[in-house]
Amino acid sequence: MRVSSPSIPETAAPPTHYENFPVASWLCPPRLRPPIAAIYTFARTADDIADEGDADAAERLATLQAYRAELAAVAGGKPPSASRWPEVFGPLAHAIADFGLPESLLADLLSAFMQDIGKSRDRTGYADRDGLLDYCSRSANPVGRLLLHLYGVHDTRSLAQSDAICSALQLINFWQDLSVDLPRGRYYLPQADCLAHGLAPADFAGFAPIGPAAPPRAAIELVASLVAWARALMNEGAPLVHRLPGRAGWELRFVVQGGHRILDKIEARGCDTFTGRPTVGVADAPLLAWRALRMRRQSAA
């Protein structure tokens, strides 16, 4: 799970959470910047609880449960004055009151954080793609749905396309970050896909980034197949950019094209993200802008 800087979906900084999602950029209408910033701070703080410092898994889970209780309190109208995290729940209380942010979507994010802690503790992964998409439905899709809520977009088709984009972004982060996640005990490669390429869980200990050997051809082909899956999912959701008005549509164009650009860079590495992590940064902005503009021209044709 990762949180990103505005518009440009990825930078050269170390991995954090929700890296591929925009956060109140200049494309965002000024009236929506406070609630988007409140959502970001909520997720960023929960990320720090789940991932930073020296606390063990039990302590992290207990703290996130307390955090969840405070979310329920402010969503129920309780003043956040006595909050353990006033910098989080003060602005979030205003955003919930002013914009009716659904508590369930915010709670889903916390559920995904808790799941991450448990799986990292137990060093377990996901049996198949359906299991991974279930995780994405809580770790990523709520972000898109919260943003659509702020823009007043609630129709079923838009929500489904948003889910496809957000799940694709989450998957892209996974395939981008293998060199970081595997040594930390984070296993997002679906076991069914691994087995289909002749890879057992124990095999990953023998090659980079955990073992000394170079990634075998089977591992490279595995990543290539998962990259193709993420790209297809992104393309499934991409028509949403033509259905959102004004700045929202432009914001989403950059997000979609940023995701595609990371996939391009993974493929340019020969789909070897076991030994390095491709990034997208400021130098990619002109290409992203050209691709975003081209999406608009194609829609008008």
Side-chain angles (χ1 to χ4, degrees), residues 1-3 16-18 37-53 55 57 59-69 71 85 87-89 92 105-117 135 138-139 186:
M1 299 173 58
R2 301 200 165 45
V3 187
T16 52
H17 287 288
Y18 298 109
I39 294 168
Y40 173 85
T41 302
F42 172 82
R44 177 70 263 175
T45 303
D47 170 28
D48 289 342
I49 294 169
D51 217 29
E52 300 295 329
E59 293 172 311
R60 295 180 192 279
L61 288 171
T63 304
L64 279 176
Q65 288 165 354
Y67 198 78
R68 174 67 181 91
L71 169 62
W85 299 274
E87 73 284 359
V88 173
F89 290 104
L92 189 65
L105 294 177
L106 296 164
D108 280 346
L109 294 173
L110 300 186
S111 168
F113 278 115
M114 293 179 184
Q115 181 169 312
D116 258 338
I117 293 170
Y135 170 75
R138 288 171 288 116
S139 71
R186 293 179 173 176

Side-chain angles (χ1 to χ4, degrees), residues 180-203:
V180 177
D181 285 339
L182 288 174
R184 299 180 69 182
R186 293 179 173 176
Y187 300 101
Y188 297 111
L189 295 166
Q191 294 169 16
D193 287 78
C194 293
L195 292 174
H197 287 81
L199 293 167
D203 294 336

Side-chain angles (χ1 to χ4, degrees), residues 7 9 20-22 25 27-28 144 147-148 151 158 161-166 169 234 237-260 288 292 295:
S7 297
N20 287 340
F21 295 108
S25 79
L27 287 170
C28 177
L147 293 177
L148 288 186
Y151 281 103
S158 294
Q161 289 174 336
S162 173
D163 289 347
I165 291 171
C166 292
L169 290 170
M234 181 68 81
L240 181 61
V241 306
H242 306 311
R243 305 183 68 213
L244 295 185
R247 292 180 175 184
W250 277 107
E251 184 91 32
L252 190 57
R253 286 178 175 90
F254 277 97
V255 171
V256 169
Q257 292 304 328
H260 277 301
L288 296 183
M295 290 177 78

Side-chain angles (χ1 to χ4, degrees), residues 15-285:
T16 52
H17 287 288
Y18 298 109
E19 286 157 345
N20 287 340
F21 295 108
V23 180
S25 79
W26 62 272
L27 287 170
C28 177
R31 73 179 186 87
L32 296 184
R33 291 174 190 168
I36 292 176
I39 294 168
Y40 173 85
T41 302
F42 172 82
R44 177 70 263 175
T45 303
D47 170 28
D48 289 342
I49 294 169
D51 217 29
E52 300 295 329
D54 300 323
D56 61 22
E59 293 172 311
R60 295 180 192 279
L61 288 171
T63 304
L64 279 176
Q65 288 165 354
Y67 198 78
R68 174 67 181 91
E70 293 211 13
L71 169 62
V74 298
K78 182 179 178 180
S81 56
S83 171
R84 181 174 170 183
W85 299 274
E87 73 284 359
V88 173
F89 290 104
L92 189 65
H94 287 294
I96 291 172
D98 294 344
F99 294 90
L101 296 181
E103 178 190 353
S104 60
L105 294 177
L106 296 164
D108 280 346
L109 294 173
L110 300 186
S111 168
F113 278 115
M114 293 179 184
Q115 181 169 312
D116 258 338
I117 293 170
K119 285 189 172 290
S120 294
R121 176 196 59 205
D122 301 335
R123 303 185 81 83
T124 57
Y126 292 85
D128 52 31
R129 293 186 179 189
D130 286 343
L132 197 55
L133 287 177
D134 174 72
Y135 170 75
C136 292
S137 73
R138 288 171 288 116
S139 71
N141 299 2
V143 176
R145 288 184 173 233
L146 285 164
L147 293 177
L148 288 186
H149 178 88
L150 290 174
Y151 281 103
V153 177
H154 304 287
D155 65 281
T156 301
R157 184 181 178 189
S158 294
L159 292 175
Q161 289 174 336
S162 173
D163 289 347
I165 291 171
C166 292
S167 289
L169 290 170
Q170 182 73 89
L171 295 175
I172 290 167
N173 273 153
F174 293 157
W175 317 147
Q176 173 190 19
D177 287 350
L178 292 174
S179 65
V180 177
D181 285 339
L182 288 174
R184 299 180 69 182
R186 293 179 173 176
Y187 300 101
Y188 297 111
L189 295 166
Q191 294 169 16
D193 287 78
C194 293
L195 292 174
H197 287 81
L199 293 167
D203 294 336
F204 289 88
F207 59 84
I210 301 173
R217 181 173 182 83
I220 298 301
E221 291 176 349
L222 168 65
V223 174
S225 70
L226 295 172
V227 163
W229 174 34
R231 195 183 291 279
L233 198 57
M234 181 68 81
N235 288 334
E236 180 182 325
L240 181 61
V241 306
H242 306 311
R243 305 183 68 213
L244 295 185
R247 292 180 175 184
W250 277 107
E251 184 91 32
L252 190 57
R253 286 178 175 90
F254 277 97
V255 171
V256 169
Q257 292 304 328
H260 277 301
R261 184 61 176 152
I262 294 173
L263 292 175
D264 293 343
K265 293 198 172 190
I266 292 174
E267 292 175 335
R269 290 182 56 88
C271 291
D272 176 12
T273 51
F274 297 98
T275 60
R277 180 176 183 268
T279 62
V280 170
V282 175
D284 295 283

